[in-house]
Amino acid sequence: MSENVMLTGDRPTGKLHLGHYVGSIANRVRLQHAYQSFFIIADLHMLTTKNSRADIERSAGNARDMVLDMLAAGIEPETATFYLQSAIPEVGDLNTLFQNLVTVPRLERVPSLKDMARDSGKEEMPYGLLGYPVLQAADILCVKANAVPVGKDNAAHVEVTREIARRFNHLYGDTFPVPELIHADVPTLVGTDGQAKMSKSIGNTVLLSDDATSVRRKVMGMYTDPDRVRADIPGKVDGNPVFIYHDAFNDDKAQVEDLKERYRTGRVGDVEVKEKLATALNRFLDPMRERRAKYADEPGLVDRLIVEGTERTREVVRQTVFDARKAMGLTSTFQAIRRKAQAATKSR
Ligand code: TRP
């Protein structure tokens, strides 16, 4: 495949939010026509931290929500390929081959894994969670992707993928591209609580699917400058969550500059800053709401996209696994034994 291929995606643990948007979805939308685009629903990765029957039962509904969120965000159903990771068992074949191309200490140094283990209340690191970046390398390389738009917490995983691709090519001959990480232009988005990154498990999110009233309610409850107890006290703009959101989502830049200026000099109240932010966010989300309504109106669209996309992707993955096994000489191992078996049968 000489064409440009992009692959990225999410675990099916819930609806997508503004943090996903700035970290990865904005780039997905922007690049979708420059690349052949694959979007993984990574339900096997979900199992590394959430593997109860209830978690698994919820994943189909979550997968549908995620795909609809992406369509609403502007991903075009005619050109995108959505697929369900667990429905392509050949990804596991590649994972097995890749496990020998990376060391345990290397994986132990991936910072996001320790965070995930801690956040999911694990006392000890599960083997599968340690292997999370290796499985992700299998995802990325199974379609020979050369571009991976992801947020900061996935950057180290893409680095592991690059190392595995290089190592494979070095040992067995050029087989895989060394994929590029596509960065977000906004750093990790803080949550509405101003305390930590926006994250479903913390409950500090604004969802792409939130209605205008919920957006307004969440914004009015946002944290601002804690030292500013009255509107006539000069406030801090840098690092202030409401201004981070204004910068990221308000397309009226003159309004943002005016608010910042008045905030710094104690001439605007938090309420006005928040009301203007709610209006700007709703203006940003309105086109998504329109597209969502249109796509949600087509019965079976999302399910059909996942099924057809998974079947298409599976063909590509089968070919890639064959290429990898051939490059390694594994196909000839069995062929040689079979030839001997056949020769022996004939000479009997
Ligand atoms: N690790 C991603 C997440 O944080 C999900 C994922 C799995 C992924 N495989 C991928 C992202 C391949 C990009 C490419 O949810």
Side-chain angles (χ1 to χ4, degrees), residues 238-251:
D238 288 339
N240 186 328
V242 286
F243 284 106
I244 294 174
Y245 287 19
H246 266 298
D247 279 333
F249 302 106
N250 190 345
D251 58 0

Side-chain angles (χ1 to χ4, degrees), residues 127-140:
Y127 176 53
L129 184 52
L130 185 67
Y132 188 113
V134 184
L135 181 57
Q136 189 159 345
D139 296 332
I140 294 168

